[in-house]
Amino acid sequence: MPLTVVKYGTPVLRQKGALIDSVTPTIRKLAADMLETTYAYKGIGLAAQQVGFAVQLTVIDVRGVTDRPSSLELKGQPADVSGSMPLVLINPEVKPVGQPVSGPEGCLSFPEIYADITRPDTVDVKALNLEGQPLEFRCGGLLARVVQHESDHLNGILFIDRMDKKTKEELRDELELLMAETKAGLKR
Ligand code: ZN
């Protein structure tokens, strides 16, 4: 069942996600619903906070974007990105290993707001999968960007926090309007 994605101004987006200590049927259902939601919104990643739950769970599927390459390495060997999608990451730990690169980003909690964000181009990831088993990989390109964007969400960090001053200034009116609309909606 697709869920509703909450927008900027909703307090849960600023909450750090609790660690998941066991992969219960509730968590599995949430992950399945989050994937459906991602596809329904034509997104490529979603964090639990964006559907109202402050837990360390994110789902990713970069197959929705074909013009920005991703790379994946499992145990030091190149792996098939598409064949590894969708990814469900529980309690992810993300370590930068590459050089910072700038690239365009959006966020389902910030409709129609896009900006260039600088992030390391490669990261090492450790997480649990939906079976509760450890998952380790290195990724680059778009996938590395999405992993970092979603892992930020799990810690209450939003992509506007990573924008440079000038970009954030340019988007200030749009951001204020979005927040005001969200707050007005929450009061109803
Ligand atoms: Zn986002």
Side-chain angles (χ1 to χ4, degrees):
M1 186 183 65
L3 307 168
T4 301
V5 175
V6 302
K7 294 187 186 143
Y8 176 52
T10 309
V12 67
L13 289 175
R14 286 304 188 181
Q15 283 175 30
K16 189 175 161 65
L19 284 173
I20 292 173
D21 48 20
S22 74
V23 185
T24 59
T26 310
I27 293 294
R28 284 174 211 267
K29 173 80 169 87
L30 178 58
D33 285 346
M34 284 169 59
L35 268 172
E36 269 195 61
T37 309
T38 305
Y39 300 135
Y41 280 78
K42 301 201 186 322
I44 53 174
L46 192 68
Q49 275 85 344
Q50 293 181 277
V51 291
F53 298 95
V55 293
Q56 296 278 328
L57 168 66
T58 178
V59 301
I60 292 169
D61 192 334
V62 294
R63 287 175 298 183
V65 172
T66 51
D67 59 348
R68 296 171 68 188
S70 295
S71 66
L72 180 65
E73 272 179 39
L74 296 171
K75 298 193 175 98
Q77 298 297 318
D80 178 35
V81 175
S82 291
S84 306
M85 298 292 128
L87 274 176
V88 176
L89 304 179
I90 295 170
N91 304 337
E93 289 172 40
V94 177
K95 206 175 90 193
V97 287
Q99 292 303 311
V101 285
S102 174
E105 263 178 54
C107 179
L108 294 179
S109 296
F110 295 77
E112 288 163 49
I113 293 176
Y114 300 91
D116 284 337
I117 308 285
T118 299
R119 301 186 187 270
D121 67 352
T122 307
V123 290
D124 281 339
V125 183
K126 283 187 190 181
L128 295 177
N129 65 16
L130 216 40
E131 281 72 50
Q133 289 155 346
L135 185 65
E136 276 187 47
F137 59 91
R138 174 169 288 187
C139 61
L142 179 64
L143 182 55
R145 181 169 294 281
V146 180
V147 163
Q148 292 175 82
H149 179 113
E150 303 310 333
S151 145
D152 273 353
H153 271 301
L154 300 184
N155 292 300
I157 299 166
L158 301 171
F159 82 143
I160 53 171
D161 306 337
R162 306 265 186 212
M163 286 175 190
D164 63 41
K165 253 189 169 160
K166 185 169 164 279
T167 307
K168 206 171 168 188
E169 186 57 35
E170 283 164 4
L171 290 170
R172 195 179 63 175
D173 291 353
E174 278 176 79
L175 290 170
E176 281 180 2
L177 184 64
L178 176 57
M179 183 179 261
E181 280 172 1
T182 303
K183 299 241 158 153
L186 291 174
K187 272 194 208 126
R188 277 202 291 271

